[in-house]
Amino acid sequence: MELMKIGILISGRGSNMTALVDAVQSGEIADAEVALVVSDKADAGGLAKAAERGIETVVIERRGRTRAEHDDEIAAALRERRIELVCLAGYMRLLSPGFIQLFPNRIMNIHPSLLPAFPGLDAQRQAVEHGVKVSGCTVHFVDEDLDAGPIILQRVVEVKDDDTEETLSARILGEEHAAYVEAVRLITSGHIAIEGRRTWVTKSNH
Ligand code: GRF
């Protein structure tokens, strides 16, 4: 059976990327291969972590070009390697409509809140400042709106009375890694159905 080729886009430390690569390499995510990690930042800490794991990396910086030009270059790198599934993992840019249309329902993202609450930057700080009692993380498909595409799965994390942005972020991050691995496993094994905004698991793959 052909392995499904995954490309991961990062901008920073890459802990979600590492969780996905490790799950593919251990066989927890079966029948898939992480074929490329793309960073838009040359100094992203995740680049070294990907290279250590034997994954090809490329840096494609924005450098004063338009969003569409930048995304075209990323898309070309992904298509050259026949990537079928694109995972955003701390990738800090909005993708252009042209890029999104190239991979229909094949771009995923992880966000550190229970969407649609607290989209955008600093979701964990927004949660602490708002005073919510639970937050968590969301894995979703990417569409043209920020942090708004169809939700694949969510995990809930308690917000404790003495939480700071840092302590809450750390607790959510642990759940992010598990949630992203689970969601990618469901996608690569063909167990996610989608209709409009709604997605569901078609049968258990345990
Ligand atoms: C994570 O909190 C993710 O949810 C958000 O950006 C952060 C990236 O962290 N989109 P890492 O680079 O995966 O460690």
Side-chain angles (χ1 to χ4, degrees):
M1 186 177 154
E2 278 265 316
L3 298 180
M4 183 186 279
K5 289 189 194 294
I6 300 173
I8 306 180
L9 272 52
I10 63 169
S11 298
R13 73 189 158 182
S15 72
N16 279 288
M17 176 276 296
T18 305
L20 293 177
V21 168
D22 290 349
V24 168
Q25 294 187 342
S26 73
E28 189 181 352
I29 297 173
D31 304 321
E33 173 195 0
V34 178
L36 186 65
V37 168
V38 178
S39 174
D40 68 327
K41 301 271 180 241
D43 61 355
L47 286 166
K49 296 178 193 162
E52 271 165 27
R53 289 165 171 77
I55 310 294
E56 185 188 0
T57 62
V58 292
V59 175
I60 304 178
E61 290 179 298
R62 173 88 180 256
R63 292 191 312 264
R65 291 171 302 173
T66 65
R67 184 189 307 282
E69 287 163 353
H70 184 225
D71 285 359
D72 281 351
E73 199 178 320
I74 296 172
L78 296 170
R79 284 158 73 105
E80 235 169 69
R81 292 158 184 88
R82 304 194 175 288
I83 303 289
E84 293 161 87
L85 180 66
V86 179
C87 296
L88 310 186
Y91 184 68
M92 299 303 285
R93 285 184 189 284
L94 202 57
L95 293 166
S96 54
F99 184 97
I100 290 163
Q101 283 155 18
L102 286 175
F103 299 96
N105 294 332
R106 279 292 176 270
I107 309 175
M108 305 168 70
N109 183 42
I110 180 127
H111 183 77
S113 74
L114 296 175
L115 289 171
F118 313 130
L121 291 176
D122 301 325
Q124 304 94 331
R125 187 170 74 209
Q126 293 183 57
V128 170
E129 285 177 355
H130 195 93
V132 292
K133 302 300 184 192
V134 293
S135 188
C137 61
T138 303
V139 183
H140 63 94
F141 287 118
V142 172
D143 66 12
E144 288 165 28
D145 299 314
L146 179 68
D147 298 329
I151 290 170
I152 301 165
L153 62 84
Q154 297 184 298
R155 285 191 175 216
V156 176
V157 170
E158 183 190 353
V159 181
K160 301 195 170 158
D161 295 343
D162 59 355
D163 260 334
T164 62
E165 178 184 0
E166 289 71 30
T167 58
L168 179 61
S169 298
R171 198 169 328 106
I172 291 175
L173 191 64
E175 295 301 315
E176 288 186 40
H177 298 160
Y180 216 170
V181 166
E182 185 183 349
V184 170
R185 195 163 53 82
L186 288 168
I187 296 280
T188 57
S189 60
H191 288 98
I192 294 288
I194 176 166
E195 206 175 284
R197 288 203 51 82
R198 307 195 65 178
T199 75
W200 63 95
V201 178
T202 52
K203 62 182 157 129
S204 160
N205 66 339
H206 287 288

